[in-house]
Amino acid sequence: MTSNARLDHRDPLVFDTHELGRRPGALRRLTRTVDAPVDLGIPGVVGVPEGTPLELEIRLESVMEGALVTGTARALAKGECVRCLEPLGLDVEADFQELFSYPDADDRGRTIAEPGDDAEDDEDRFFLEDGLFDLEPVLRDAVVLALPMQPVCQEDCPGLCAECGARLADDPDHHHDAVDIRWAALQGLAETMTDGEKDEMSGDAPRSAHAAEKQEK
């Protein structure tokens, strides 16, 4: 069971359902702009920075078990392109829907599960506390699902050069001359042979001078 203990009505992400009453079918629509909470997104990848304006459009509906909350959140997310590593910004729109149950929902007609039955489903339930509910956990899940796991600055971003790390979008003609390693080995052998010939030529001069000296004697 998810607990909403000690909710503060002054928290911008805490909402009051008292105006709905417990009349099934009662509706209330509202809009609210709040500051984004901390860590709203995928850490190290992309997210809505803390304090960024977060626009909320919410529809509250009273049902037998509690308040059905449906809405949309909009904000500007920031991150880093996974291809070229440049900073990027993208508009995120996340839809959500969640039922916040009355604390006594089980006494109002819901079948009480036997021990071990649907235990995981019960753990995921949200409850009203004195007519209040906290939207943050629902909002956090919705935003994370709406964000791209691998954000890119543009769909056709060419990324970085694998050899030098240059950003290819800035220089479409960027390239490196490919060298066949087999030719590189032959080139190295040729240079070695050339260096050897130079050494032999530099060693001939002293021997020739010595021979000429002997011939004069």
Side-chain angles (χ1 to χ4, degrees):
M1 180 184 299
T2 301
S3 175
N4 287 333
R6 297 183 299 278
L7 294 183
D8 185 349
H9 69 277
R10 294 169 297 181
D11 187 321
L13 287 175
V14 170
F15 293 80
D16 193 336
T17 65
H18 282 103
E19 290 187 15
L20 289 177
R22 290 200 174 190
R23 302 182 306 276
L27 295 174
R28 184 186 177 198
R29 298 179 186 274
L30 54 89
T31 60
R32 184 179 294 184
T33 299
V34 302
D35 291 339
V38 65
D39 295 331
L40 186 60
I42 306 172
V45 180
V46 62
V48 180
E50 182 181 5
T52 297
L54 187 65
E55 298 178 2
L56 302 174
E57 292 183 3
I58 298 176
R59 178 178 182 267
L60 305 179
E61 180 180 1
S62 179
V63 296
M64 285 295 296
E65 289 189 352
L68 181 64
V69 180
T70 306
T72 302
R74 299 182 181 87
L76 177 65
K78 294 185 178 181
E80 186 178 82
C81 177
V82 296
R83 297 180 187 171
C84 68
L85 308 182
E86 287 293 307
L88 59 80
L90 56 91
D91 294 320
V92 59
E93 181 173 304
D95 296 324
F96 54 86
Q97 184 175 74
E98 188 61 60
L99 173 65
F100 289 83
S101 301
Y102 297 121
D104 59 348
D106 288 334
D107 298 329
R108 293 169 54 81
R110 180 177 181 270
T111 301
I112 301 177
E114 293 295 330
D117 292 346
D118 300 324
E120 292 184 2
D121 292 340
D122 199 54
E123 286 290 334
D124 293 334
R125 294 180 64 200
F126 291 89
F127 287 85
L128 295 170
E129 180 195 331
D130 296 330
L132 304 177
F133 68 87
D134 184 3
L135 187 63
E136 182 173 339
V138 174
L139 181 64
R140 190 176 299 280
D141 289 344
V143 170
V144 169
L145 290 175
L147 291 170
M149 293 296 294
Q150 294 186 317
V152 292
C153 57
Q154 54 188 31
E155 290 299 326
D156 59 347
C157 174
L160 303 176
C161 174
E163 293 192 33
C164 67
R167 187 168 182 265
L168 299 179
D170 297 333
D171 184 9
D173 297 325
H174 180 86
H175 71 282
H176 294 272
D177 294 331
V179 178
D180 191 314
I181 59 173
R182 295 170 297 179
W183 288 111
L186 291 175
Q187 179 65 27
L189 179 60
E191 292 176 354
T192 300
M193 294 177 65
T194 301
D195 291 342
E197 291 175 357
K198 290 180 179 179
D199 291 341
E200 290 179 3
M201 291 179 65
S202 62
D204 286 346
R207 287 196 294 271
S208 298
H210 181 68
E213 183 179 351
K214 289 181 64 178
Q215 191 171 17
E216 288 178 358
K217 291 180 178 180

